[in-house]
Amino acid sequence: MAGLVKAKKYDWKDSNMALFGSDLEKQVKKESAQGEPAWEGSGQEVGLRIWRIEKFEVKDWPVEDYGEFFSGDSYIILNTYKQGDSDALLYDVHFWIGKESSQDEYGTAAYKTVELDTYHDGNPVQHREVEGHESSLFKSYFKDGITTMEGGCATGFKHVTPEEYQAKLFKFARESDGHIRYKQIPRNPNLVTPGDVYILDLGETVYQYNGSESSPMEVAKAMQFVGRMKSKRGEINSVVLDGAETATSHDFFQKLDQDQDEDIDDECDNSKKLFRVNVESHSTELVKEDDFSKDDLVSDDVFIIDNGKAVYVWVGNTASDDEKKNGFTYAHNYLCSSKFPWKPITVLKEGQGCIETAISA
């Protein structure tokens, strides 16, 4: 099968999901779920499983690389856990979309996520995550943080010699929820600020630049990152630089590139809205803003809750079959018409999960 063609940043949001959830798709989905070798043995014990979409196929992601993602790819993540003293296994299944993931990869990841839900008899809670805007639940799986890197499976990565190695700059920053996130950023010196920690990876030599206002936690995470690099590559030179004492003429800054584009993150709004889904028109109808509760949810409908930070699809028990099988599609279409298409999505069936948390978050 021919390789996938990479799309520009966020172009995945234009993916055509009109047939997602059709009767034909549902039949194929059930048969495929039972025959998908990747799902065999999944969810049998507590723990995390990760797969990457590679040319429309689901491939196991190496355990040693858990927490590392390529911006050009899409992944599926299954978390199996128990609650309290119960022996029952519970599930959260996420699909993660890199900023430069293609429409085909996004669509395949969405389809396969619902397929994995079917494999586990509809018990998992389904989520969608977008690079740089992941939910707190998703980030909690990776105690060492999340690393995002440029490229992907379709770019034909191969072993390179030291002289061919492309320098990479990683930023370590503490987010509002306390998690340390580290990701590859353009090697633009304007992006190096006193409040964060940076790793400049030159292949055989690695610089750790600790900003003068960075936190001990950011410094520690960066040191762990360098340690893992050494364990994978063997002997490499590592240099630690103190931002308060290092002049900008140092080698670290000489290896940066003023001409590289700067990476600008989008900011979210804080408004809360409740929508009812119109299954006939596939549109959303505003019900209430700001002041609403679970009492406004009706079992024979599907609702979209946008709490400003994330989007939840609530599927009533007596909703129509068309409504029940198109949760991701409704949320996808809603977000595509908004300013923030990258918000996390969670699909909740009535009685599944705490809807009060979604509303009040």
Side-chain angles (χ1 to χ4, degrees), residues 77-138:
I77 298 90
L78 176 68
N79 183 47
T80 305
Y81 66 101
K82 294 180 180 180
Q83 203 163 48
D85 297 328
S86 173
D87 289 329
L89 293 173
L90 303 174
Y91 311 95
D92 282 285
V93 58
H94 306 247
F95 66 100
W96 184 94
I97 311 163
K99 287 184 178 180
E100 298 176 5
S101 180
S102 72
Q103 295 178 14
D104 287 334
E105 287 166 324
Y106 169 35
T108 302
Y111 177 89
K112 287 293 185 177
T113 294
V114 178
E115 183 183 272
L116 182 56
D117 176 86
T118 301
Y119 183 84
H120 289 289
D121 300 317
N123 291 317
V125 176
Q126 302 171 41
H127 310 264
R128 189 203 72 172
E129 313 282 347
V130 174
E131 178 187 343
H133 304 280
E134 296 87 350
S135 65
S136 295
L137 174 63
F138 185 81

Side-chain angles (χ1 to χ4, degrees), residues 276 294-303 314-319 350:
R276 179 185 286 106
K294 67 175 184 178
D295 295 333
D296 293 304
L297 306 176
V298 183
S299 293
D300 59 357
D301 278 322
V302 172
F303 292 84
W314 186 86
V315 183
N317 286 333
T318 56
E350 184 174 355

Side-chain angles (χ1 to χ4, degrees), residues 189-210:
N190 294 329
L191 298 177
V192 179
T193 61
D196 298 311
V197 175
Y198 300 84
I199 295 291
L200 179 61
D201 179 9
L202 302 178
E204 293 186 317
T205 301
V206 174
Y207 292 101
Q208 176 174 334
Y209 180 82
N210 302 327

Side-chain angles (χ1 to χ4, degrees), residues 63-344:
V63 174
E64 61 269 23
D65 293 333
Y66 279 17
E68 297 182 2
F69 302 94
F70 285 102
S71 292
D73 291 328
S74 292
Y75 299 76
I76 296 173
I77 298 90
L78 176 68
N79 183 47
T80 305
Y81 66 101
K82 294 180 180 180
Q83 203 163 48
D85 297 328
S86 173
D87 289 329
L89 293 173
L90 303 174
Y91 311 95
D92 282 285
V93 58
H94 306 247
F95 66 100
W96 184 94
I97 311 163
K99 287 184 178 180
E100 298 176 5
S101 180
S102 72
Q103 295 178 14
D104 287 334
E105 287 166 324
Y106 169 35
T108 302
Y111 177 89
K112 287 293 185 177
T113 294
V114 178
E115 183 183 272
L116 182 56
D117 176 86
T118 301
Y119 183 84
H120 289 289
D121 300 317
N123 291 317
V125 176
Q126 302 171 41
H127 310 264
R128 189 203 72 172
E129 313 282 347
V130 174
E131 178 187 343
H133 304 280
E134 296 87 350
S135 65
S136 295
L137 174 63
F138 185 81
K139 289 186 284 190
S140 72
Y141 302 149
F142 308 102
K143 303 306 180 185
D144 292 329
I146 295 172
T147 307
T148 52
M149 298 168 288
E150 295 177 359
C153 67
T155 56
F157 278 112
K158 60 183 178 64
H159 177 73
V160 295
T161 60
E163 58 271 16
E164 296 175 317
Y165 192 85
Q166 296 295 313
K168 299 180 178 66
L169 180 64
F170 294 89
K171 175 182 177 180
F172 293 70
R174 185 172 183 173
E175 299 184 319
S176 57
D177 58 8
H179 287 93
I180 302 297
R181 180 183 185 85
Y182 41 106
K183 64 176 181 176
Q184 185 179 350
I185 64 173
R187 297 192 331 273
N188 190 311
N190 294 329
L191 298 177
V192 179
T193 61
D196 298 311
V197 175
Y198 300 84
I199 295 291
L200 179 61
D201 179 9
L202 302 178
E204 293 186 317
T205 301
V206 174
Y207 292 101
Q208 176 174 334
Y209 180 82
N210 302 327
S212 58
E213 300 173 12
S214 61
S215 71
M217 189 178 297
E218 291 168 333
V219 173
K221 287 294 183 183
M223 292 177 66
Q224 291 175 10
F225 183 78
V226 173
R228 289 200 300 275
M229 291 171 67
K230 289 181 176 180
S231 66
K232 287 183 178 182
R233 299 183 193 172
E235 287 299 320
I236 59 174
N237 300 318
S238 60
V239 180
V240 179
L241 307 173
D242 186 343
E245 301 174 358
T246 305
T248 56
S249 59
H250 192 279
D251 234 15
F252 174 86
F253 292 95
Q254 296 300 313
K255 297 293 184 180
L256 302 182
D257 186 354
Q258 183 77 44
D259 294 331
Q260 288 211 357
D261 291 336
E262 296 186 27
D263 195 21
I264 301 175
D265 288 332
D266 300 301
E267 293 186 0
C268 215
D269 62 355
N270 293 314
S271 61
K272 295 183 180 181
K273 297 181 177 68
L274 176 66
F275 298 88
R276 179 185 286 106
V277 173
N278 185 321
V279 68
E280 294 182 358
S281 64
H282 296 278
S283 61
T284 52
E285 303 167 350
L286 181 63
V287 177
K288 286 187 176 181
E289 291 190 63
D290 296 325
D291 186 19
F292 55 87
S293 69
K294 67 175 184 178
D295 295 333
D296 293 304
L297 306 176
V298 183
S299 293
D300 59 357
D301 278 322
V302 172
F303 292 84
I304 290 178
I305 300 162
D306 186 343
N307 65 21
K309 300 176 182 177
V311 166
Y312 293 80
V313 181
W314 186 86
V315 183
N317 286 333
T318 56
S320 70
D321 289 341
D322 281 342
E323 291 172 315
K324 287 181 177 179
K325 64 192 178 186
N326 279 290
F328 272 132
T329 305
Y330 297 138
H332 168 90
N333 292 340
Y334 162 71
L335 283 175
C336 280
S337 63
S338 76
K339 296 179 180 178
F340 312 102
W342 36 257
K343 286 182 182 178

